[in-house]
Amino acid sequence: MFVPIFIVLLTLVPLHAAGRSPAKPVKRHRETWHDFKLPSPLHDEVIVSLGKAEFHNHDTRQKLDDDLSNLACDDACMDMNVKNITKEEAEQSLVYEKIDLNGAKSVIRLPIDDKFVDYINAWSNKGDTLSHQQKGSHDRRKREVYEYDTRFPIQDPALYETSPFSAAVKLSTGCSGVLIGPQYVLTAAHCIHNGKKYVKRLKDVKVGFRRDRELEAGEDIADAFYWIRATEAFVPYEWTSSGKQKLLPVEQDYAVIKIKRESDRSYLNISVGTPENVASGTRIHIPAFDKKDDATLVYRFCRVADGTQEVMYQVCDSEKGAIGAGVYVRRWDREARKWSRKVVAIYGGHAKFYQDHARQDYNVALRITPLKFAQICFWTTGSYGGCKG
């Protein structure tokens, strides 16, 4: 098609030369972010009970598939408001179960002090105030939620060793996870424990890191990874003691696995993912191994549609194998003057929500709340104050 020469020339002339004012640069929105660092010193654990862990003997994958739809969010989980916690409530929330390689189980309570509780409440209330102040802008951005979602495989093997993809791992139980320390993997609790028993003996649980090469014809899927055995696992006691419930509490669906040795991969740090840090409309990123019998790492991003203090609803496409994957956001690090990434939630799949006796299903991710941040930090460093989020 013939294009007149004067039109071509016009497109090459700067706007100000054509008698028009240059367009003002669009100011990109930068997420409001509030650093969280507990001031508490090292605490000694109090062992509540000792025993032997119980394990399922039947096929792990089938049992795991059966339990994926049993997550539910009750009234407390659906609460949008920030509430002050008491010292007793905080200590109860921080009780956890730990198992070792030999199946020995310990239920442990973490003593806390008033300084810890005061910081949690002050930070939460400050964040809630900021969240209300920003509510108008969040509502305007909610229209962007239902945009086209990206979901594509990572094809270049070199990217498997490049952050943030290097932190994505595959569990031998069929789930995904995220490396949050040299020897620690964050995942969903039901990837290793179904609320009644552990789905697999810990000595049989392995964490897979994707090799930086493609599989050759005839090779097994497992050969695409190098595997490191688990030596310890940490799970909230409210989860492991919920076996009598038909529906499991989605707000307790998180766990940390310690592996035998450090991997050669870089990890991602965790942070607090409450609504003031990760509001509706915020873009989130999830790399995961979507299919249990596939070595392909799949990356996707979408926006937070809505949520409560405990969970975020999002519209990222995924499959069951992605459950347990880390959900991260990009943030501007003022001190380092560069963009960084923080894990703010754990992808949980679909959960049932009951409100006014009506059931609704949502695609959810479990937010890392201040209390969860403190507990995960203790599991990985031995101190509430060992992490900055």
PDB file of all heavy atoms in Angstrom, residues 99-134:
ATOM      1  N   ILE A  99       8.784 -32.336  63.203  1.00  0.00           N
ATOM      2  CA  ILE A  99       9.178 -33.737  63.113  1.00  0.00           C
ATOM      3  C   ILE A  99      10.580 -33.814  62.517  1.00  0.00           C
ATOM      4  O   ILE A  99      11.004 -32.930  61.768  1.00  0.00           O
ATOM      5  CB  ILE A  99       8.201 -34.589  62.270  1.00  0.00           C
ATOM      6  CG1 ILE A  99       8.157 -34.107  60.812  1.00  0.00           C
ATOM      7  CG2 ILE A  99       6.816 -34.599  62.875  1.00  0.00           C
ATOM      8  CD1 ILE A  99       7.462 -35.082  59.883  1.00  0.00           C
ATOM      9  N   ASP A 100      11.293 -34.885  62.875  1.00  0.00           N
ATOM     10  CA  ASP A 100      12.641 -35.051  62.342  1.00  0.00           C
ATOM     11  C   ASP A 100      12.703 -36.256  61.417  1.00  0.00           C
ATOM     12  O   ASP A 100      11.683 -36.897  61.122  1.00  0.00           O
ATOM     13  CB  ASP A 100      13.671 -35.158  63.476  1.00  0.00           C
ATOM     14  CG  ASP A 100      13.473 -36.385  64.352  1.00  0.00           C
ATOM     15  OD1 ASP A 100      12.784 -37.352  63.919  1.00  0.00           O
ATOM     16  OD2 ASP A 100      14.007 -36.409  65.474  1.00  0.00           O
ATOM     17  N   LEU A 101      13.900 -36.555  60.983  1.00  0.00           N
ATOM     18  CA  LEU A 101      14.105 -37.604  59.989  1.00  0.00           C
ATOM     19  C   LEU A 101      13.640 -38.965  60.473  1.00  0.00           C
ATOM     20  O   LEU A 101      13.235 -39.820  59.683  1.00  0.00           O
ATOM     21  CB  LEU A 101      15.596 -37.652  59.632  1.00  0.00           C
ATOM     22  CG  LEU A 101      15.997 -38.336  58.336  1.00  0.00           C
ATOM     23  CD1 LEU A 101      15.314 -37.674  57.150  1.00  0.00           C
ATOM     24  CD2 LEU A 101      17.509 -38.301  58.168  1.00  0.00           C
ATOM     25  N   ASN A 102      13.679 -39.202  61.780  1.00  0.00           N
ATOM     26  CA  ASN A 102      13.293 -40.492  62.349  1.00  0.00           C
ATOM     27  C   ASN A 102      11.813 -40.570  62.716  1.00  0.00           C
ATOM     28  O   ASN A 102      11.367 -41.575  63.263  1.00  0.00           O
ATOM     29  CB  ASN A 102      14.142 -40.789  63.585  1.00  0.00           C
ATOM     30  CG  ASN A 102      15.624 -40.869  63.258  1.00  0.00           C
ATOM     31  OD1 ASN A 102      16.005 -41.491  62.268  1.00  0.00           O
ATOM     32  ND2 ASN A 102      16.450 -40.229  64.088  1.00  0.00           N
ATOM     33  N   GLY A 103      11.063 -39.515  62.441  1.00  0.00           N
ATOM     34  CA  GLY A 103       9.639 -39.507  62.752  1.00  0.00           C
ATOM     35  C   GLY A 103       9.308 -39.049  64.154  1.00  0.00           C
ATOM     36  O   GLY A 103       8.150 -39.110  64.566  1.00  0.00           O
ATOM     37  N   ALA A 104      10.312 -38.590  64.905  1.00  0.00           N
ATOM     38  CA  ALA A 104      10.044 -38.060  66.245  1.00  0.00           C
ATOM     39  C   ALA A 104       9.300 -36.733  66.127  1.00  0.00           C
ATOM     40  O   ALA A 104       9.678 -35.865  65.334  1.00  0.00           O
ATOM     41  CB  ALA A 104      11.347 -37.878  67.008  1.00  0.00           C
ATOM     42  N   LYS A 105       8.245 -36.591  66.925  1.00  0.00           N
ATOM     43  CA  LYS A 105       7.384 -35.411  66.841  1.00  0.00           C
ATOM     44  C   LYS A 105       7.437 -34.621  68.145  1.00  0.00           C
ATOM     45  O   LYS A 105       7.380 -35.201  69.230  1.00  0.00           O
ATOM     46  CB  LYS A 105       5.947 -35.851  66.560  1.00  0.00           C
ATOM     47  CG  LYS A 105       4.936 -34.721  66.491  1.00  0.00           C
ATOM     48  CD  LYS A 105       3.523 -35.248  66.272  1.00  0.00           C
ATOM     49  CE  LYS A 105       2.989 -35.957  67.518  1.00  0.00           C
ATOM     50  NZ  LYS A 105       1.562 -36.340  67.356  1.00  0.00           N
ATOM     51  N   SER A 106       7.539 -33.315  68.034  1.00  0.00           N
ATOM     52  CA  SER A 106       7.510 -32.422  69.197  1.00  0.00           C
ATOM     53  C   SER A 106       6.466 -31.339  68.961  1.00  0.00           C
ATOM     54  O   SER A 106       6.396 -30.771  67.861  1.00  0.00           O
ATOM     55  CB  SER A 106       8.873 -31.761  69.421  1.00  0.00           C
ATOM     56  OG  SER A 106       9.910 -32.706  69.513  1.00  0.00           O
ATOM     57  N   VAL A 107       5.645 -31.084  69.964  1.00  0.00           N
ATOM     58  CA  VAL A 107       4.738 -29.935  69.936  1.00  0.00           C
ATOM     59  C   VAL A 107       5.377 -28.863  70.801  1.00  0.00           C
ATOM     60  O   VAL A 107       5.693 -29.108  71.970  1.00  0.00           O
ATOM     61  CB  VAL A 107       3.338 -30.304  70.456  1.00  0.00           C
ATOM     62  CG1 VAL A 107       2.446 -29.067  70.488  1.00  0.00           C
ATOM     63  CG2 VAL A 107       2.713 -31.383  69.572  1.00  0.00           C
ATOM     64  N   ILE A 108       5.576 -27.685  70.237  1.00  0.00           N
ATOM     65  CA  ILE A 108       6.411 -26.663  70.871  1.00  0.00           C
ATOM     66  C   ILE A 108       5.654 -25.353  70.995  1.00  0.00           C
ATOM     67  O   ILE A 108       4.971 -24.915  70.066  1.00  0.00           O
ATOM     68  CB  ILE A 108       7.705 -26.454  70.058  1.00  0.00           C
ATOM     69  CG1 ILE A 108       8.515 -27.757  70.028  1.00  0.00           C
ATOM     70  CG2 ILE A 108       8.541 -25.315  70.626  1.00  0.00           C
ATOM     71  CD1 ILE A 108       9.654 -27.756  69.061  1.00  0.00           C
ATOM     72  N   ARG A 109       5.772 -24.753  72.170  1.00  0.00           N
ATOM     73  CA  ARG A 109       5.190 -23.425  72.412  1.00  0.00           C
ATOM     74  C   ARG A 109       6.318 -22.413  72.477  1.00  0.00           C
ATOM     75  O   ARG A 109       7.374 -22.670  73.059  1.00  0.00           O
ATOM     76  CB  ARG A 109       4.402 -23.417  73.727  1.00  0.00           C
ATOM     77  CG  ARG A 109       3.777 -22.059  74.067  1.00  0.00           C
ATOM     78  CD  ARG A 109       3.021 -22.129  75.383  1.00  0.00           C
ATOM     79  NE  ARG A 109       1.845 -22.972  75.274  1.00  0.00           N
ATOM     80  CZ  ARG A 109       0.649 -22.542  74.878  1.00  0.00           C
ATOM     81  NH1 ARG A 109       0.482 -21.265  74.542  1.00  0.00           N
ATOM     82  NH2 ARG A 109      -0.369 -23.355  74.813  1.00  0.00           N
ATOM     83  N   LEU A 110       6.098 -21.254  71.881  1.00  0.00           N
ATOM     84  CA  LEU A 110       7.102 -20.199  71.861  1.00  0.00           C
ATOM     85  C   LEU A 110       6.699 -19.084  72.818  1.00  0.00           C
ATOM     86  O   LEU A 110       5.729 -18.370  72.571  1.00  0.00           O
ATOM     87  CB  LEU A 110       7.244 -19.628  70.452  1.00  0.00           C
ATOM     88  CG  LEU A 110       7.663 -20.609  69.361  1.00  0.00           C
ATOM     89  CD1 LEU A 110       7.663 -19.922  68.005  1.00  0.00           C
ATOM     90  CD2 LEU A 110       9.030 -21.169  69.657  1.00  0.00           C
ATOM     91  N   PRO A 111       7.410 -18.935  73.939  1.00  0.00           N
ATOM     92  CA  PRO A 111       7.093 -17.835  74.863  1.00  0.00           C
ATOM     93  C   PRO A 111       7.330 -16.485  74.205  1.00  0.00           C
ATOM     94  O   PRO A 111       8.278 -16.327  73.428  1.00  0.00           O
ATOM     95  CB  PRO A 111       8.074 -18.050  76.022  1.00  0.00           C
ATOM     96  CG  PRO A 111       8.565 -19.449  75.879  1.00  0.00           C
ATOM     97  CD  PRO A 111       8.539 -19.738  74.415  1.00  0.00           C
ATOM     98  N   ILE A 112       6.473 -15.539  74.463  1.00  0.00           N
ATOM     99  CA  ILE A 112       6.648 -14.193  73.928  1.00  0.00           C
ATOM    100  C   ILE A 112       6.526 -13.183  75.060  1.00  0.00           C
ATOM    101  O   ILE A 112       6.057 -13.512  76.156  1.00  0.00           O
ATOM    102  CB  ILE A 112       5.613 -13.883  72.828  1.00  0.00           C
ATOM    103  CG1 ILE A 112       4.192 -14.013  73.378  1.00  0.00           C
ATOM    104  CG2 ILE A 112       5.803 -14.780  71.633  1.00  0.00           C
ATOM    105  CD1 ILE A 112       3.122 -13.598  72.402  1.00  0.00           C
ATOM    106  N   ASP A 113       6.949 -11.962  74.799  1.00  0.00           N
ATOM    107  CA  ASP A 113       6.858 -10.921  75.817  1.00  0.00           C
ATOM    108  C   ASP A 113       5.903  -9.824  75.359  1.00  0.00           C
ATOM    109  O   ASP A 113       5.409  -9.826  74.221  1.00  0.00           O
ATOM    110  CB  ASP A 113       8.245 -10.346  76.131  1.00  0.00           C
ATOM    111  CG  ASP A 113       8.991  -9.908  74.889  1.00  0.00           C
ATOM    112  OD1 ASP A 113       8.318  -9.549  73.885  1.00  0.00           O
ATOM    113  OD2 ASP A 113      10.232  -9.936  74.886  1.00  0.00           O
ATOM    114  N   ASP A 114       5.650  -8.868  76.253  1.00  0.00           N
ATOM    115  CA  ASP A 114       4.715  -7.784  75.946  1.00  0.00           C
ATOM    116  C   ASP A 114       5.218  -6.916  74.792  1.00  0.00           C
ATOM    117  O   ASP A 114       4.424  -6.377  74.015  1.00  0.00           O
ATOM    118  CB  ASP A 114       4.496  -6.915  77.190  1.00  0.00           C
ATOM    119  CG  ASP A 114       3.759  -7.672  78.286  1.00  0.00           C
ATOM    120  OD1 ASP A 114       2.982  -8.591  77.944  1.00  0.00           O
ATOM    121  OD2 ASP A 114       3.965  -7.363  79.478  1.00  0.00           O
ATOM    122  N   LYS A 115       6.535  -6.783  74.694  1.00  0.00           N
ATOM    123  CA  LYS A 115       7.116  -5.975  73.624  1.00  0.00           C
ATOM    124  C   LYS A 115       6.751  -6.544  72.256  1.00  0.00           C
ATOM    125  O   LYS A 115       6.452  -5.816  71.317  1.00  0.00           O
ATOM    126  CB  LYS A 115       8.639  -5.926  73.800  1.00  0.00           C
ATOM    127  CG  LYS A 115       9.342  -4.925  72.913  1.00  0.00           C
ATOM    128  CD  LYS A 115      10.826  -4.898  73.240  1.00  0.00           C
ATOM    129  CE  LYS A 115      11.543  -3.868  72.366  1.00  0.00           C
ATOM    130  NZ  LYS A 115      13.006  -3.836  72.650  1.00  0.00           N
ATOM    131  N   PHE A 116       6.762  -7.862  72.160  1.00  0.00           N
ATOM    132  CA  PHE A 116       6.393  -8.548  70.925  1.00  0.00           C
ATOM    133  C   PHE A 116       4.946  -8.224  70.561  1.00  0.00           C
ATOM    134  O   PHE A 116       4.640  -7.841  69.427  1.00  0.00           O
ATOM    135  CB  PHE A 116       6.584 -10.053  71.115  1.00  0.00           C
ATOM    136  CG  PHE A 116       6.123 -10.902  69.965  1.00  0.00           C
ATOM    137  CD1 PHE A 116       7.031 -11.368  69.016  1.00  0.00           C
ATOM    138  CD2 PHE A 116       4.789 -11.280  69.821  1.00  0.00           C
ATOM    139  CE1 PHE A 116       6.621 -12.163  67.952  1.00  0.00           C
ATOM    140  CE2 PHE A 116       4.376 -12.072  68.763  1.00  0.00           C
ATOM    141  CZ  PHE A 116       5.296 -12.516  67.833  1.00  0.00           C
ATOM    142  N   VAL A 117       4.032  -8.387  71.527  1.00  0.00           N
ATOM    143  CA  VAL A 117       2.606  -8.158  71.265  1.00  0.00           C
ATOM    144  C   VAL A 117       2.344  -6.699  70.918  1.00  0.00           C
ATOM    145  O   VAL A 117       1.569  -6.394  69.998  1.00  0.00           O
ATOM    146  CB  VAL A 117       1.769  -8.589  72.482  1.00  0.00           C
ATOM    147  CG1 VAL A 117       0.288  -8.298  72.254  1.00  0.00           C
ATOM    148  CG2 VAL A 117       1.966 -10.074  72.766  1.00  0.00           C
ATOM    149  N   ASP A 118       2.998  -5.775  71.640  1.00  0.00           N
ATOM    150  CA  ASP A 118       2.797  -4.350  71.378  1.00  0.00           C
ATOM    151  C   ASP A 118       3.234  -3.984  69.960  1.00  0.00           C
ATOM    152  O   ASP A 118       2.576  -3.187  69.282  1.00  0.00           O
ATOM    153  CB  ASP A 118       3.580  -3.506  72.393  1.00  0.00           C
ATOM    154  CG  ASP A 118       2.995  -3.612  73.799  1.00  0.00           C
ATOM    155  OD1 ASP A 118       1.829  -4.041  73.921  1.00  0.00           O
ATOM    156  OD2 ASP A 118       3.715  -3.257  74.759  1.00  0.00           O
ATOM    157  N   TYR A 119       4.340  -4.572  69.509  1.00  0.00           N
ATOM    158  CA  TYR A 119       4.827  -4.268  68.161  1.00  0.00           C
ATOM    159  C   TYR A 119       3.861  -4.797  67.113  1.00  0.00           C
ATOM    160  O   TYR A 119       3.548  -4.110  66.138  1.00  0.00           O
ATOM    161  CB  TYR A 119       6.212  -4.876  67.946  1.00  0.00           C
ATOM    162  CG  TYR A 119       6.802  -4.514  66.601  1.00  0.00           C
ATOM    163  CD1 TYR A 119       7.489  -3.319  66.426  1.00  0.00           C
ATOM    164  CD2 TYR A 119       6.651  -5.352  65.501  1.00  0.00           C
ATOM    165  CE1 TYR A 119       8.019  -2.969  65.190  1.00  0.00           C
ATOM    166  CE2 TYR A 119       7.172  -5.011  64.260  1.00  0.00           C
ATOM    167  CZ  TYR A 119       7.855  -3.823  64.114  1.00  0.00           C
ATOM    168  OH  TYR A 119       8.361  -3.481  62.883  1.00  0.00           O
ATOM    169  N   ILE A 120       3.389  -6.034  67.301  1.00  0.00           N
ATOM    170  CA  ILE A 120       2.430  -6.622  66.358  1.00  0.00           C
ATOM    171  C   ILE A 120       1.189  -5.748  66.240  1.00  0.00           C
ATOM    172  O   ILE A 120       0.734  -5.410  65.138  1.00  0.00           O
ATOM    173  CB  ILE A 120       2.027  -8.044  66.793  1.00  0.00           C
ATOM    174  CG1 ILE A 120       3.195  -9.013  66.651  1.00  0.00           C
ATOM    175  CG2 ILE A 120       0.825  -8.537  65.995  1.00  0.00           C
ATOM    176  CD1 ILE A 120       3.502  -9.452  65.248  1.00  0.00           C
ATOM    177  N   ASN A 121       0.610  -5.357  67.378  1.00  0.00           N
ATOM    178  CA  ASN A 121      -0.623  -4.567  67.362  1.00  0.00           C
ATOM    179  C   ASN A 121      -0.400  -3.167  66.803  1.00  0.00           C
ATOM    180  O   ASN A 121      -1.218  -2.658  66.028  1.00  0.00           O
ATOM    181  CB  ASN A 121      -1.199  -4.487  68.772  1.00  0.00           C
ATOM    182  CG  ASN A 121      -1.824  -5.798  69.225  1.00  0.00           C
ATOM    183  OD1 ASN A 121      -2.319  -6.577  68.403  1.00  0.00           O
ATOM    184  ND2 ASN A 121      -1.795  -6.073  70.517  1.00  0.00           N
ATOM    185  N   ALA A 122       0.718  -2.531  67.183  1.00  0.00           N
ATOM    186  CA  ALA A 122       0.992  -1.179  66.685  1.00  0.00           C
ATOM    187  C   ALA A 122       1.212  -1.199  65.179  1.00  0.00           C
ATOM    188  O   ALA A 122       0.715  -0.331  64.460  1.00  0.00           O
ATOM    189  CB  ALA A 122       2.218  -0.606  67.402  1.00  0.00           C
ATOM    190  N   TRP A 123       1.939  -2.186  64.706  1.00  0.00           N
ATOM    191  CA  TRP A 123       2.208  -2.276  63.269  1.00  0.00           C
ATOM    192  C   TRP A 123       0.911  -2.540  62.501  1.00  0.00           C
ATOM    193  O   TRP A 123       0.641  -1.919  61.479  1.00  0.00           O
ATOM    194  CB  TRP A 123       3.200  -3.396  62.999  1.00  0.00           C
ATOM    195  CG  TRP A 123       3.763  -3.388  61.603  1.00  0.00           C
ATOM    196  CD1 TRP A 123       4.905  -2.771  61.185  1.00  0.00           C
ATOM    197  CD2 TRP A 123       3.195  -4.005  60.445  1.00  0.00           C
ATOM    198  NE1 TRP A 123       5.088  -2.977  59.839  1.00  0.00           N
ATOM    199  CE2 TRP A 123       4.064  -3.717  59.352  1.00  0.00           C
ATOM    200  CE3 TRP A 123       2.059  -4.764  60.208  1.00  0.00           C
ATOM    201  CZ2 TRP A 123       3.812  -4.173  58.062  1.00  0.00           C
ATOM    202  CZ3 TRP A 123       1.809  -5.207  58.916  1.00  0.00           C
ATOM    203  CH2 TRP A 123       2.676  -4.915  57.870  1.00  0.00           C
ATOM    204  N   SER A 124       0.102  -3.466  63.009  1.00  0.00           N
ATOM    205  CA  SER A 124      -1.150  -3.811  62.327  1.00  0.00           C
ATOM    206  C   SER A 124      -2.103  -2.620  62.286  1.00  0.00           C
ATOM    207  O   SER A 124      -2.733  -2.348  61.255  1.00  0.00           O
ATOM    208  CB  SER A 124      -1.815  -5.004  63.023  1.00  0.00           C
ATOM    209  OG  SER A 124      -0.988  -6.144  62.976  1.00  0.00           O
ATOM    210  N   ASN A 125      -2.223  -1.898  63.392  1.00  0.00           N
ATOM    211  CA  ASN A 125      -3.124  -0.751  63.432  1.00  0.00           C
ATOM    212  C   ASN A 125      -2.639   0.376  62.528  1.00  0.00           C
ATOM    213  O   ASN A 125      -3.426   1.047  61.864  1.00  0.00           O
ATOM    214  CB  ASN A 125      -3.261  -0.246  64.868  1.00  0.00           C
ATOM    215  CG  ASN A 125      -4.074  -1.200  65.732  1.00  0.00           C
ATOM    216  OD1 ASN A 125      -5.007  -1.826  65.249  1.00  0.00           O
ATOM    217  ND2 ASN A 125      -3.710  -1.333  66.993  1.00  0.00           N
ATOM    218  N   LYS A 126      -1.320   0.576  62.477  1.00  0.00           N
ATOM    219  CA  LYS A 126      -0.761   1.578  61.578  1.00  0.00           C
ATOM    220  C   LYS A 126      -1.069   1.207  60.132  1.00  0.00           C
ATOM    221  O   LYS A 126      -1.472   2.041  59.330  1.00  0.00           O
ATOM    222  CB  LYS A 126       0.748   1.678  61.784  1.00  0.00           C
ATOM    223  CG  LYS A 126       1.448   2.592  60.789  1.00  0.00           C
ATOM    224  CD  LYS A 126       2.959   2.529  60.978  1.00  0.00           C
ATOM    225  CE  LYS A 126       3.674   3.362  59.913  1.00  0.00           C
ATOM    226  NZ  LYS A 126       5.146   3.254  60.031  1.00  0.00           N
ATOM    227  N   GLY A 127      -0.873  -0.061  59.824  1.00  0.00           N
ATOM    228  CA  GLY A 127      -1.134  -0.522  58.470  1.00  0.00           C
ATOM    229  C   GLY A 127      -2.592  -0.403  58.101  1.00  0.00           C
ATOM    230  O   GLY A 127      -2.944  -0.040  56.982  1.00  0.00           O
ATOM    231  N   ASP A 128      -3.492  -0.683  59.061  1.00  0.00           N
ATOM    232  CA  ASP A 128      -4.922  -0.591  58.794  1.00  0.00           C
ATOM    233  C   ASP A 128      -5.322   0.848  58.503  1.00  0.00           C
ATOM    234  O   ASP A 128      -6.126   1.125  57.607  1.00  0.00           O
ATOM    235  CB  ASP A 128      -5.692  -1.128  60.003  1.00  0.00           C
ATOM    236  CG  ASP A 128      -7.171  -1.286  59.717  1.00  0.00           C
ATOM    237  OD1 ASP A 128      -7.517  -1.792  58.633  1.00  0.00           O
ATOM    238  OD2 ASP A 128      -7.980  -0.910  60.577  1.00  0.00           O
ATOM    239  N   THR A 129      -4.730   1.799  59.236  1.00  0.00           N
ATOM    240  CA  THR A 129      -5.013   3.210  58.993  1.00  0.00           C
ATOM    241  C   THR A 129      -4.559   3.621  57.606  1.00  0.00           C
ATOM    242  O   THR A 129      -5.265   4.282  56.860  1.00  0.00           O
ATOM    243  CB  THR A 129      -4.307   4.082  60.054  1.00  0.00           C
ATOM    244  OG1 THR A 129      -4.783   3.709  61.354  1.00  0.00           O
ATOM    245  CG2 THR A 129      -4.592   5.553  59.816  1.00  0.00           C
ATOM    246  N   LEU A 130      -3.343   3.211  57.256  1.00  0.00           N
ATOM    247  CA  LEU A 130      -2.827   3.531  55.933  1.00  0.00           C
ATOM    248  C   LEU A 130      -3.682   2.906  54.839  1.00  0.00           C
ATOM    249  O   LEU A 130      -3.918   3.505  53.799  1.00  0.00           O
ATOM    250  CB  LEU A 130      -1.379   3.047  55.816  1.00  0.00           C
ATOM    251  CG  LEU A 130      -0.361   3.825  56.648  1.00  0.00           C
ATOM    252  CD1 LEU A 130       0.955   3.070  56.688  1.00  0.00           C
ATOM    253  CD2 LEU A 130      -0.154   5.219  56.084  1.00  0.00           C
ATOM    254  N   SER A 131      -4.160   1.692  55.102  1.00  0.00           N
ATOM    255  CA  SER A 131      -4.978   1.002  54.122  1.00  0.00           C
ATOM    256  C   SER A 131      -6.272   1.759  53.865  1.00  0.00           C
ATOM    257  O   SER A 131      -6.709   1.922  52.731  1.00  0.00           O
ATOM    258  CB  SER A 131      -5.281  -0.418  54.598  1.00  0.00           C
ATOM    259  OG  SER A 131      -6.058  -1.107  53.662  1.00  0.00           O
ATOM    260  N   HIS A 132      -6.892   2.284  54.933  1.00  0.00           N
ATOM    261  CA  HIS A 132      -8.134   3.044  54.769  1.00  0.00           C
ATOM    262  C   HIS A 132      -7.867   4.350  54.033  1.00  0.00           C
ATOM    263  O   HIS A 132      -8.672   4.807  53.232  1.00  0.00           O
ATOM    264  CB  HIS A 132      -8.768   3.321  56.132  1.00  0.00           C
ATOM    265  CG  HIS A 132      -9.471   2.131  56.709  1.00  0.00           C
ATOM    266  ND1 HIS A 132     -10.506   1.500  56.065  1.00  0.00           N
ATOM    267  CD2 HIS A 132      -9.263   1.438  57.861  1.00  0.00           C
ATOM    268  CE1 HIS A 132     -10.943   0.475  56.802  1.00  0.00           C
ATOM    269  NE2 HIS A 132     -10.185   0.418  57.889  1.00  0.00           N
ATOM    270  N   GLN A 133      -6.700   4.976  54.309  1.00  0.00           N
ATOM    271  CA  GLN A 133      -6.376   6.227  53.644  1.00  0.00           C
ATOM    272  C   GLN A 133      -6.208   6.023  52.142  1.00  0.00           C
ATOM    273  O   GLN A 133      -6.494   6.902  51.346  1.00  0.00           O
ATOM    274  CB  GLN A 133      -5.083   6.799  54.238  1.00  0.00           C
ATOM    275  CG  GLN A 133      -5.239   7.313  55.662  1.00  0.00           C
ATOM    276  CD  GLN A 133      -3.908   7.728  56.261  1.00  0.00           C
ATOM    277  OE1 GLN A 133      -2.851   7.513  55.667  1.00  0.00           O
ATOM    278  NE2 GLN A 133      -3.957   8.327  57.445  1.00  0.00           N
ATOM    279  N   GLN A 134      -5.734   4.842  51.744  1.00  0.00           N
ATOM    280  CA  GLN A 134      -5.480   4.568  50.347  1.00  0.00           C
ATOM    281  C   GLN A 134      -6.653   3.874  49.658  1.00  0.00           C
ATOM    282  O   GLN A 134      -6.562   3.505  48.499  1.00  0.00           O
ATOM    283  CB  GLN A 134      -4.247   3.665  50.212  1.00  0.00           C
ATOM    284  CG  GLN A 134      -2.995   4.282  50.789  1.00  0.00           C
ATOM    285  CD  GLN A 134      -1.914   3.249  51.031  1.00  0.00           C
ATOM    286  OE1 GLN A 134      -2.058   2.104  50.632  1.00  0.00           O
ATOM    287  NE2 GLN A 134      -0.844   3.641  51.689  1.00  0.00           N
TER     288      GLN A 134
END
